[in-house]
Amino acid sequence: MEGEIHNFIVVWTIVLISLCYSHTIVKFFPNGKSRFVAIVPIVCLFFILPLYLTSINLGGTTSFFIAWLANFKILLFAFGKGPLSSIPPLPLSTFIPLACLPIKYQKYSTSDNVETTKKTTNSTLINLVTKITLLATLIRVYNYKHNLHPKLLLFCYCLHIYFFLEILLTMVSTMVRVASRVELEPPFDEPYKTRSLQDFWGKRWNLMVTNILRPTVYDPVRSLMLDRIPRKWAPLPAVLATFFISGLMHELIFYYISREKPSWEVTYFFIIHGVALSIEIMVKKLLNDKFLVPRFISGPLALGFIILTSFWLFFPPLLRGKPDVKGCNEAIALLEFVRYGKLVSPENITCPFM
């Protein structure tokens, strides 16, 4: 555990230095190839750094923040695009959190903004307490995991991922807001209220990934296709490319967490959803949105398709590395440190809920 914490500090020190370098090169390299060449070593470094972390909580979070979010944002920055590009240039205190966290810049300059922020904070606090309570209840359910049907247990893992990500990002949001007045993008928008696959993937689920994949993959591919196929159908190959890249990035994150050889099941999961979403978009365009399936039918169908395909292809490779057991052991080790001030290796702990 001590070695992991030491590596975590070293990794994030290197990340901060690398982002300072990335912020500085704007003075010496214009947008385009020259800045891209100057950025490439940082991109490679950000892919390598997560390999020095083996824990679920520290390593998994770090790999998502730097290997995916930061890399995609600084690649956009190399060509003068994305949230890091601004005239005048962003101050370093804003550039760094924007680079490695799923956040959006927001200035608090008017009384309306302050009032809105207060309401948002109160709503966020209630939402956070609710999600923590539900996650704690879910963890208690794991006491009886051996008595649960395997499909019901997988559904519990679906809820676990949703609650954990929202809790994590909300807590980070609070710290970032206080430190630098930067507002985190909402990680989810009530995905259980979805009305279609397009609504789920584009507007409700994992919005920080959606908002970074759109300018890095979807928009360039769509622009490229506009001169090759009718404008009406240009979004279809862009959707397929976006889901393919998302699948590859999920494979990479899963590898950082488990260190097991990719099985490509996660990539197949996202390809299937890319094809399904393309068909949905194509049907809507052919019908000119004149015939819409009622929401009370389309919503459950979309959620059912997502859940069943995740049982089939998403969760098996994720669970092979037993991240639930590792995560539980790490949490207990953290509590031991907080209560008694001593570091205990998670490998020497047996989680009572698993």
Side-chain angles (χ1 to χ4, degrees), residues 86-99:
S86 175
I87 298 175
L90 295 173
L92 185 62
S93 60
T94 300
F95 183 91
I96 289 177
L98 272 176

Side-chain angles (χ1 to χ4, degrees), residues 131 134-135 138 142 149-167 188 191-192 200-201 205-206 269 273 302-316 318-319 323-324:
K131 292 299 190 299
L134 291 172
L135 181 59
L138 193 62
Y142 293 154
H149 190 279
K151 300 299 183 186
L152 180 58
L153 186 59
L154 286 176
F155 180 71
C156 290
Y157 287 140
C158 288
L159 296 177
H160 192 134
I161 289 176
Y162 170 46
F163 294 149
F164 174 76
L165 286 175
E166 188 148 8
I167 290 168
F188 301 93
Y192 44 85
F200 181 86
W201 290 115
W205 181 262
N206 216 346
F269 170 83
H273 277 266
L303 284 176
F305 178 72
I306 293 163
I307 291 172
L308 289 176
T309 51
S310 68
F311 288 179
W312 173 33
L313 292 170
F314 188 87
F315 283 104
L318 175 63
L319 296 176
D324 51 342

Side-chain angles (χ1 to χ4, degrees), residues 248-303:
L248 293 181
M249 293 307 300
H250 277 82
E251 292 280 6
L252 181 62
I253 300 300
F254 281 19
Y255 176 75
Y256 286 136
I257 292 174
S258 67
R259 302 301 162 88
E260 294 190 359
K261 184 179 178 180
S263 63
W264 306 110
E265 291 165 278
V266 180
T267 302
Y268 299 149
F269 170 83
F270 282 98
I271 290 175
I272 287 172
H273 277 266
V275 171
L277 179 53
S278 297
I279 293 173
E280 178 183 307
I281 294 172
M282 183 171 61
V283 170
K284 287 180 179 178
K285 288 182 178 295
L286 289 173
L287 298 176
N288 293 319
D289 289 329
K290 291 180 179 179
F291 176 76
L292 297 176
V293 179
R295 181 173 179 172
F296 70 90
I297 296 176
S298 63
L301 284 176
L303 284 176

Side-chain angles (χ1 to χ4, degrees), residues 199-213:
D199 183 45
F200 181 86
W201 290 115
K203 299 178 180 178
R204 294 188 179 276
W205 181 262
N206 216 346
L207 298 180
M208 75 288 287
V209 169
T210 299
N211 291 337
I212 198 62
L213 284 174

Side-chain angles (χ1 to χ4, degrees), residues 38-193:
I39 286 287
V40 164
I42 303 300
V43 173
C44 296
L45 181 63
F46 282 5
F47 279 128
I48 294 171
L49 287 176
L51 295 173
Y52 290 91
L53 299 172
T54 57
S55 64
I56 298 295
N57 295 300
L58 299 181
T61 303
T62 297
S63 63
F64 173 59
F65 282 178
I66 67 172
W68 193 339
L69 292 182
N71 267 347
F72 278 45
K73 288 181 181 180
I74 61 176
L75 283 173
L76 285 172
F77 175 67
F79 296 97
K81 299 179 180 179
L84 301 181
S85 297
S86 175
I87 298 175
L90 295 173
L92 185 62
S93 60
T94 300
F95 183 91
I96 289 177
L98 272 176
C100 57
L101 294 174
I103 57 179
K104 58 183 178 182
Y105 185 57
Q106 179 177 325
K107 295 180 180 179
Y108 304 130
S109 56
T110 67
S111 58
D112 289 340
N113 281 340
V114 173
E115 187 64 29
T116 301
T117 301
K118 288 181 180 178
K119 291 180 180 179
T120 302
T121 301
N122 291 335
S123 175
T124 299
L125 181 60
I126 294 172
N127 182 57
L128 178 62
V129 172
T130 302
K131 292 299 190 299
I132 290 175
T133 303
L134 291 172
L135 181 59
T137 303
L138 193 62
I139 291 174
R140 297 299 300 180
V141 170
Y142 293 154
N143 276 326
Y144 310 97
K145 65 182 294 185
H146 299 295
N147 299 321
L148 297 177
H149 190 279
K151 300 299 183 186
L152 180 58
L153 186 59
L154 286 176
F155 180 71
C156 290
Y157 287 140
C158 288
L159 296 177
H160 192 134
I161 289 176
Y162 170 46
F163 294 149
F164 174 76
L165 286 175
E166 188 148 8
I167 290 168
L168 171 67
L169 294 172
T170 300
M171 293 175 67
V172 174
S173 173
T174 302
M175 291 186 288
V176 172
R177 186 186 301 118
V178 171
S180 60
R181 298 202 169 199
V182 174
E183 186 69 22
L184 273 176
E185 296 171 349
F188 301 93
D189 183 15
E190 300 178 316
Y192 44 85
K193 292 185 178 180

Side-chain angles (χ1 to χ4, degrees), residues 215-237:
T216 52
V217 183
Y218 179 86
D219 289 343
V221 173
R222 183 177 179 275
S223 298
L224 186 65
M225 291 294 107
L226 286 175
D227 297 330
R228 290 167 173 79
I229 61 177
R231 186 181 188 88
K232 184 178 182 179
W233 306 115
L236 300 184

